[in-house]
Amino acid sequence: MKNRNQKIIRTSWIGIASNVLLAGFKTAVGLLASSVAIVMDAVNNLSDALSSVITIIGAKLSQRPADRLHPFGFGRIEYFSAIIIAVIVLTTGITSLIESVKKILAPTEPEYSTLTLVVVSIAIVVKLVLGQYVKRQGEELKSDALIASGSDALFDAIITLATLVSAGIMLLWNVSIDGPLGALISVVIIKAGIDMLASPINQLLGTSIPAELTHEIVREVSDFEEVHGVYDLILHNYGPEVKIGSLHVNVYDTMSAHDIHGLTRRITSLLYEKHGIIITVGIYAIATGQNRRAELQSIVMQALAAHKEIVQVHGFYYSEKDNMLSVDIVPDINVHNEASLTQQLVEEIKKLVSDMEVSIVTDHNYTE
């Protein structure tokens, strides 16, 4: 975790240094050439360093140790950093769109000197290289903030490139496409800004577990000899490297409490060592032998599994003392009236088990 944050901070410092050097270069050229436009563009480069500063602050704050109010740490601060940077990108796109529409409604002929075009070209190359580097680092480190910061630099380069292309067309053919081209690129940037906002917001709201991770966890836990099924996998994300969750496993009812304790310890240790996941393991008992519990389990599970609208059946429990049984089902995503389905299934099972109290619990965590 610490090494990851160090890489994020180092990459952000490279972004800051690049923008500051580029701003210094533009300022020097602008002052020597008495060009207000180049000097103002230099100021813009200093403001571009803001996204890298935000990333560093977010990475630093996310390293704060857990406390009583925040027992799982501050890892989610990174998502807020990414949201702020995405808003900056979105604002850039909207501002660019407004300016482009103004140029469409009231076209103006841009004026560029050879020096200006050279400075702009250098800025484009620097921004493209910087943006690609920062974004690639963000993807490797799974940092939404770095990805957004890199995208911010890339979009700055694209906007400037569009200006350069427009200037070239104006000089060669005396045709101004500054407004329409700017508007088109602005729409692309706005769309990208919205997409960048979606990722950290979804992380904060809680997204589904990636299929690859689900299958890997199920496979690893299923490899334990005592495990005969893995269900109800739930993971809560408290930052890019902190996940806390739970799952259930099927074991034979002949296992002792001591053996079950040992199994759950081995599962939790494995998932923490391999994935950094703090997991709680629940137990479902599979009825074995020739007895009433095993007979009811077979009847009920087969009856429910026959329904096409049910994806999975698990967690069977029977209490002879209380004259009741319960079972968990996972309905198909196309089932919209779960209450009606549950009631229908309860009535069906009651006919099979006489006057026994029946409870069917709807579960939405489908683990193959």
Side-chain angles (χ1 to χ4, degrees):
M1 179 71 174
K2 188 175 181 180
N3 185 50
R4 173 181 175 274
N5 280 336
Q6 288 175 343
K7 289 180 179 178
I8 290 174
I9 292 171
R10 184 170 63 247
T11 302
S12 299
W13 274 117
I14 291 173
I16 293 172
S18 299
N19 278 301
V20 169
L21 289 174
L22 189 58
F25 168 71
K26 287 181 178 179
T27 300
V29 173
L31 291 175
L32 289 172
S34 299
S35 172
V36 176
I38 295 178
V39 173
M40 291 305 296
D41 198 29
V43 174
N44 180 55
N45 276 120
L46 289 177
S47 67
D48 290 342
L50 178 61
S51 61
S52 295
V53 173
I54 293 170
T55 303
I56 290 175
I57 293 172
K60 290 281 189 181
L61 291 176
S62 69
Q63 295 181 61
R64 293 174 60 189
D67 56 35
R68 289 188 178 182
L69 287 177
H70 309 91
F72 304 119
F74 294 81
R76 285 180 174 173
I77 285 178
E78 280 196 39
Y79 302 138
F80 290 102
S81 301
I83 289 172
I84 293 171
I85 298 170
V87 169
I88 292 174
V89 172
L90 194 57
T91 303
T92 300
I94 293 171
T95 303
S96 177
L97 179 61
I98 293 171
E99 293 301 316
S100 298
V101 170
K102 287 180 180 178
K103 291 178 182 178
I104 293 173
L105 297 177
T108 57
E109 185 173 331
E111 296 181 4
Y112 294 98
S113 65
T114 302
L115 179 62
T116 303
L117 294 177
V118 170
V119 172
V120 167
S121 299
I122 293 173
I124 291 170
V125 173
V126 172
K127 281 289 189 175
L128 284 174
V129 172
L130 176 64
Q132 288 283 8
Y133 170 73
V134 173
K135 188 174 182 180
R136 186 170 60 251
Q137 287 292 104
E139 290 168 349
E140 289 178 4
L141 298 171
K142 296 181 180 178
S143 168
D144 285 340
L146 271 187
I147 292 172
S149 183
S151 299
D152 186 23
L154 286 174
F155 289 136
D156 281 343
I158 291 171
I159 290 174
T160 308
L161 179 61
T163 304
L164 190 62
V165 170
S166 177
I169 292 175
M170 171 61 75
L171 293 172
L172 291 173
W173 296 291
N174 198 32
V175 176
S176 177
I177 63 167
D178 203 26
L181 183 60
L184 178 62
I185 292 173
S186 299
V187 170
V188 173
I189 293 174
I190 291 171
K191 168 66 167 55
I194 293 171
D195 291 341
M196 279 190 276
L197 268 176
S199 178
I201 288 176
N202 283 334
Q203 294 288 357
L204 290 171
L205 290 175
T207 57
S208 59
I209 307 168
E212 297 89 0
L213 180 58
T214 298
H215 292 149
E216 188 173 355
I217 290 173
V218 170
R219 178 182 55 78
E220 290 168 352
V221 175
S222 297
D223 283 344
F224 286 93
E225 183 180 354
E226 304 93 329
V227 173
H228 302 282
V230 182
Y231 309 97
D232 308 334
L233 176 60
I234 299 173
L235 290 181
H236 299 287
N237 194 336
Y238 285 89
E241 294 195 334
V242 180
K243 292 182 177 63
I244 299 173
S246 61
L247 57 79
H248 278 83
V249 296
N250 269 351
V251 300
Y252 290 142
D253 60 359
T254 52
M255 281 190 72
S256 68
H258 176 76
D259 290 337
I260 291 173
H261 187 179
L263 173 64
T264 58
R265 281 294 181 91
R266 282 182 282 142
I267 293 173
T268 55
S269 296
L270 172 72
L271 295 184
Y272 185 76
E273 290 170 4
K274 291 203 67 175
H275 306 287
I277 297 173
I278 301 171
I279 204 83
T280 299
V281 182
I283 300 297
Y284 290 142
I286 300 176
T288 58
Q290 301 295 322
N291 53 53
R292 176 63 170 162
R293 185 165 64 249
E295 179 187 351
L296 286 172
Q297 177 180 265
S298 177
I299 293 172
V300 171
M301 301 291 271
Q302 287 182 25
L304 293 175
H307 287 265
K308 293 182 179 180
E309 63 270 37
I310 297 177
V311 177
Q312 191 183 84
V313 184
H314 59 268
F316 176 85
Y317 174 74
Y318 165 62
S319 171
E320 185 175 1
K321 177 183 177 181
D322 300 320
N323 193 37
M324 63 81 68
L325 67 81
S326 68
V327 66
D328 295 359
I329 64 167
V330 179
D332 187 271
I333 194 170
N334 294 317
V335 174
H336 300 297
N337 193 340
E338 294 179 359
S340 176
L341 173 63
T342 301
Q343 184 60 37
Q344 172 194 334
L345 295 175
V346 167
E347 296 300 326
E348 178 183 331
I349 298 303
K350 278 186 174 181
K351 293 176 182 178
L352 299 175
V353 298
S354 63
D355 296 329
M356 191 175 299
E357 182 182 341
V358 176
S359 172
I360 294 180
V361 180
T362 301
D363 187 353
H364 296 93
N365 299 290
Y366 174 39
T367 309
E368 293 188 78

